[in-house]
Amino acid sequence: MTETKDDFETWLAEQAEAAHQAIESVHGEARANLYADSAKSESKKDDHAESSEEQEE
């Protein structure tokens, strides 16, 4: 089977798009995890601050 230049360029564009989508997916997941971790951390800080305030009273 002989591939033409157009076939190769089409295949290459498809591979590039698939790679781009995979990167976006991983990046989105990592960003979501980072935000979740940040929210948990803030929540723990708030809980600790509230506990400290309650102990002072």
Side-chain angles (χ1 to χ4, degrees):
M1 175 175 128
T2 10
E3 293 185 8
T4 65
K5 183 179 177 185
D6 289 340
D7 291 338
F8 176 72
E9 288 176 350
T10 300
W11 174 84
L12 190 59
E14 290 170 351
Q15 298 304 307
E17 180 61 27
H20 179 73
Q21 289 177 357
I23 290 168
E24 287 295 318
S25 174
V26 169
H27 186 220
E29 187 176 322
R31 188 180 314 129
N33 289 339
L34 178 63
Y35 290 147
D37 289 346
S38 294
K40 287 178 188 175
S41 177
E42 286 298 317
S43 177
K44 286 180 182 177
K45 286 180 187 176
D46 292 344
D47 290 347
H48 181 69
E50 289 175 8
S51 294
S52 295
E53 288 174 3
E54 291 173 2
Q55 289 176 357
E56 288 176 6
E57 293 174 357

